[in-house]
């Protein structure tokens, strides 16, 4: 099977032929195409005292090692926005494969108090999921508008690892799960 283009002398590639499908740029198509990018799944948690809340997020990434910065995106109308603004800090809880139900629970518009299963707190008092793979306790450094979402930039103040050598929870094509061998074999592998 040839690669995306045909090699010419000098190592240049001709553009690929019309073997791809073109979609209109609208919300549904963007969601479909973006869904082809495999992401991990997190629960962003915040709160103080006895209260805590969280929401499921897969738009999370590391930004900088020095200073230690991360970011995530949250819907501008998210139920967690007010609490994030009030506390000014949050934890990113990295979920394991077995936490699919937990991710589904926190993805809802309302999470009953009985479903908020924060089993611990960071040393700074942010609620964390004790069964998660790991957590990052962060201070909000900036928020940026991002269309119907807000981009939250956080500085990591504390790291904790709960579980090692467990499969992470992934999100692909609108579903939680793992990439089975059959699916992996269907896609070309690229070097570099």
């Amino acid at each position: 099977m040839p690669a995306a283009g045909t090699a010419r002398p000098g190592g240049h590639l001709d553009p690929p032929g019309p073997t791809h499908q073109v979609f209109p740029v609208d919300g549904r198509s963007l969601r479909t195409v973006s869904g082809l990018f495999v992401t991990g799944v997190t629960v962003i948690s915040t709160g103080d005292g006895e209260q805590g809340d969280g929401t499921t997020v897969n738009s999370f990434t590391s930004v900088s090692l020095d200073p230690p910065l991360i970011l995530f995106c949250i819907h501008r109308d998210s139920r967690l926005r007010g609490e994030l603004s009030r506390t000014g800090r949050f934890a990113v809880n990295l979920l394991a494969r077995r936490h699919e139900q937990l991710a589904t629970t926190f993805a809802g518009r309302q999470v009953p108090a009985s479903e908020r299963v924060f089993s611990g707190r960071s040393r700074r008092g942010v609620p964390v999921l004790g069964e998660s793979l790991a957590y990052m306790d962060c201070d909000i450094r900036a928020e940026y508008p991002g269309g119907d979402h807000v981009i939250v930039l956080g500085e990591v103040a504390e790291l904790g690892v709960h579980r090692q050598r467990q499969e992470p929870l992934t999100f692909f094509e609108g579903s939680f799960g793992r990439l089975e061998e059959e699916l992996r074999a269907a896609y070309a592998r690229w070097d570099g």
Side-chain angles (χ1 to χ4, degrees):
M1 174 192 262
T6 305
R8 292 186 296 163
H12 299 287
L13 291 177
D14 287 332
T19 60
H20 59 280
Q21 184 176 358
V22 177
F23 289 92
V25 180
D26 59 28
R28 183 177 179 165
S29 296
L30 181 58
R31 179 179 288 237
T32 298
V33 172
S34 295
L36 296 174
F37 183 69
V38 178
T39 66
V41 182
T42 70
V43 167
I44 304 298
S45 57
T46 192
D48 51 23
E50 295 297 315
Q51 298 291 355
D53 201 357
T55 193
T56 302
V57 168
N58 70 330
S59 57
F60 161 79
T61 191
S62 172
V63 174
S64 168
L65 299 178
D66 187 18
L69 300 174
I70 59 91
L71 70 76
F72 70 93
C73 301
I74 189 169
H75 196 278
R76 68 177 175 231
D77 297 328
S78 169
R79 62 184 162 70
L80 201 64
R81 286 269 332 273
E83 191 68 4
L84 284 167
S85 295
R86 187 183 70 75
T87 64
R89 56 189 178 178
F90 61 91
V92 179
N93 299 272
L94 308 179
L95 300 187
R97 171 74 173 103
R98 61 192 177 87
H99 294 134
E100 187 173 326
Q101 182 56 49
L102 188 65
T104 300
T105 297
F106 278 104
R109 294 203 184 274
Q110 295 291 327
V111 180
S114 62
E115 297 289 325
R116 297 178 195 163
V117 292
F118 299 109
S119 53
R121 295 202 173 265
S122 68
R123 287 184 298 198
R124 299 177 342 132
V126 177
V128 296
L129 297 169
E131 294 297 311
S132 65
L133 295 173
Y135 71 89
M136 297 173 217
D137 178 341
C138 306
D139 291 310
I140 296 175
R141 288 295 173 230
E143 292 186 359
Y144 303 98
D148 59 3
H149 278 63
V150 174
I151 302 161
V152 179
L153 182 70
E155 183 168 356
V156 181
E158 179 183 328
L159 299 168
V161 176
H162 297 295
R163 305 275 186 265
Q164 293 184 355
R165 295 185 176 88
Q166 288 194 29
E167 186 177 355
L169 182 58
T170 60
F171 194 72
F172 178 72
E173 290 190 327
S175 299
F176 297 118
R178 73 175 78 189
L179 298 179
E180 301 296 339
E181 291 301 320
E182 300 82 30
L183 183 58
R184 289 186 192 140
Y187 291 93
R189 296 185 185 192
W190 297 89
D191 283 343

